[in-house]
Amino acid sequence: MSVKYAKKMTAVISVIIIITTVFTGCIDDQEFYNDLDIGYDENYNEQYYETNFYDEEERDSEEKLGSAKELDGTTVLVSIFADDINTSWETDENEENMYKTLDYLSIAIEWIDENCNRYGVDPEFVYDWSQYEDLYYTTSFEYDMTYDEDDQYFSLNEYVETIVDSENLKDKYQADNIIYMVYYNNDYSSTTVSATYCWINEDINDYPYEIVNIYTRCDGIDENPASYAHEILHTFGAPDFYLADEDGQNYGITQEFVDYNEEICSNSIMFTTYDAQTGDAYYDKITNEFDDLVAYYVGLLSQCNEVEEWGLGKSQHIP
Ligand SMILES: [Zn+2]
């Protein structure tokens, strides 16, 4: 459940192909995407920066908040079922497992919605790919997507940039925000935790897309709905409360604050996705807290005493 921010990369994309096709409906672009031959080669640095797909103006228009800006609006969530060199959705239980992610996503969305309501905000979410087919994608990456962050970062962002017609989807669903949920059908022996690429600023990120990686199984158990909610809240600016900020990428969370959360066995969704009292992961509900500090960081409160009290960093929603 750790948040991972995109690092400034020196690696580049060696082959740039501009895709003009507009996709609608269910998409299986596996063959097509493999043709992109995305890989990295230091020698192509110059070429990459000269022919980058998006332009700076477009990126600035993301208002420094990335593709998921304010919860007070409509958010479209695209679901991408990704194979990699070790995992595949092409199994007998394929469909059942895909629907399980939709079930968990819907529990997470409902929980976020209800908690936003407590703060007087009523967000709209469009995410049900069983109803809206153009929110459903499948693809295959020629990497180990649990392992190398550089490969993962570039291949995911290039995929989103070239294959997902984000602007069209935002227009169609009259959405202010777009989040990309990427699901891996990995097995229980995996220890890779779900992680999100969040937008902080252009010095750190190369792309404005906020991409959630859900590894559907980890350490012997299924990833639970609370983890989905935790990751989605990252895209709106919530930091991890269990991790001190060492490199300016976790909103100035201090070690003292992390220690305090441990001491009091905090049940905050940004501290734990297990129930703090029982230690269990739940699959039909979320029992964690959406506390004021979370609300502050995702833009639902303009201030929160804990920020000053613990000397924490400013929310991305505060100018
Ligand atoms: Zn996290």
Side-chain angles (χ1 to χ4, degrees):
M1 283 71 75
S2 68
V3 59
K4 289 180 185 168
Y5 297 102
K7 294 174 193 150
K8 190 75 180 171
M9 304 291 178
T10 53
V12 295
I13 290 142
S14 61
V15 176
I16 304 291
I17 300 167
I18 295 173
I19 312 301
T20 52
T21 316
V22 175
F23 295 98
T24 53
C26 287
I27 290 175
D28 188 338
D29 58 274
Q30 181 171 335
E31 203 176 310
F32 175 77
Y33 186 62
N34 287 343
D35 288 345
L36 283 176
D37 185 24
I38 287 173
Y40 314 114
D41 186 335
E42 296 289 337
N43 299 324
Y44 284 86
N45 247 335
E46 214 171 303
Q47 181 195 343
Y48 169 66
Y49 286 109
E50 277 174 9
T51 56
N52 210 349
F53 284 117
Y54 62 87
D55 58 32
E56 292 298 320
E57 236 172 75
E58 201 176 307
R59 187 164 63 175
D60 286 346
S61 74
E62 294 293 337
E63 298 165 9
K64 314 291 184 199
L65 292 177
S67 63
K69 303 179 195 62
E70 305 287 351
L71 274 160
D72 191 8
T74 298
T75 301
V76 62
L77 292 99
V78 172
S79 286
I80 301 163
F81 293 90
D83 296 350
D84 73 355
I85 57 167
N86 296 317
T87 72
S88 169
W89 285 98
E90 298 293 320
T91 62
D92 291 345
E93 311 83 34
N94 181 0
E95 202 175 297
E96 191 188 322
N97 287 331
M98 282 183 176
Y99 275 100
K100 205 192 258 186
T101 68
L102 184 56
D103 183 29
Y104 296 167
L105 179 63
S106 98
I107 293 170
I109 293 293
E110 267 173 47
W111 181 84
I112 291 172
D113 185 36
E114 281 165 17
N115 280 285
C116 285
N117 291 170
R118 292 196 297 113
Y119 292 93
V121 168
D122 190 17
E124 292 288 330
F125 294 98
V126 187
Y127 63 92
D128 185 352
W129 47 259
S130 69
Q131 189 181 347
Y132 307 111
E133 290 184 341
D134 52 5
L135 302 184
Y136 169 90
Y137 290 72
T138 63
T139 191
S140 182
F141 295 108
E142 293 174 337
Y143 297 108
D144 177 353
M145 297 298 278
T146 66
Y147 184 66
D148 190 306
E149 272 187 46
D150 285 10
D151 285 346
Q152 189 189 86
Y153 178 70
F154 271 101
S155 50
L156 286 173
N157 277 284
E158 276 307 300
Y159 180 81
V160 164
E161 183 136 291
T162 56
I163 305 294
V164 181
D165 194 354
S166 302
E167 288 312 309
N168 195 37
L169 290 173
K170 281 169 73 179
D171 282 351
K172 179 179 168 187
Y173 296 106
Q174 297 184 317
D176 311 284
N177 310 302
I178 185 161
I179 299 171
Y180 311 87
M181 306 291 295
V182 185
Y183 302 97
Y184 303 96
N185 198 23
N186 58 294
D187 63 37
Y188 285 109
S189 62
S190 171
T191 54
T192 304
V193 292
S194 295
T196 297
Y197 287 108
C198 296
W199 176 262
I200 295 224
N201 60 51
E202 68 261 40
D203 294 333
I204 295 170
N205 300 55
D206 285 315
Y207 299 88
Y209 311 117
E210 297 189 301
I211 302 172
V212 173
N213 278 298
I214 297 283
Y215 297 98
T216 54
R217 299 172 198 85
C218 180
D219 249 345
I221 63 167
D222 287 326
E223 195 69 317
N224 67 345
S227 302
Y228 287 52
H230 172 108
E231 300 304 332
I232 291 167
L233 290 172
H234 275 316
T235 69
F236 287 100
D240 280 316
F241 294 168
Y242 63 83
L243 194 67
D245 188 348
E246 288 176 353
D247 49 11
Q249 296 178 35
N250 199 34
Y251 296 90
I253 296 298
T254 60
Q255 189 57 50
E256 291 73 27
F257 182 64
V258 172
D259 294 345
Y260 169 74
N261 277 292
E262 273 167 21
E263 220 174 279
I264 64 164
C265 287
S266 168
N267 196 32
S268 172
I269 189 86
M270 298 318 291
F271 182 70
T272 182
T273 53
Y274 294 91
D275 182 277
Q277 280 206 321
T278 65
D280 291 333
Y282 292 117
Y283 294 91
D284 58 348
K285 61 186 170 187
I286 297 176
T287 61
N288 303 95
E289 282 167 30
F290 189 119
D291 48 278
D292 282 356
L293 192 59
V294 173
Y296 166 76
Y297 278 114
V298 298
L300 303 180
L301 286 178
S302 58
Q303 56 181 37
C304 179
N305 292 340
E306 280 172 295
V307 175
E308 219 168 286
E309 196 180 319
W310 293 100
L312 310 178
K314 203 169 67 168
S315 162
Q316 69 170 351
H317 300 271
I318 306 294

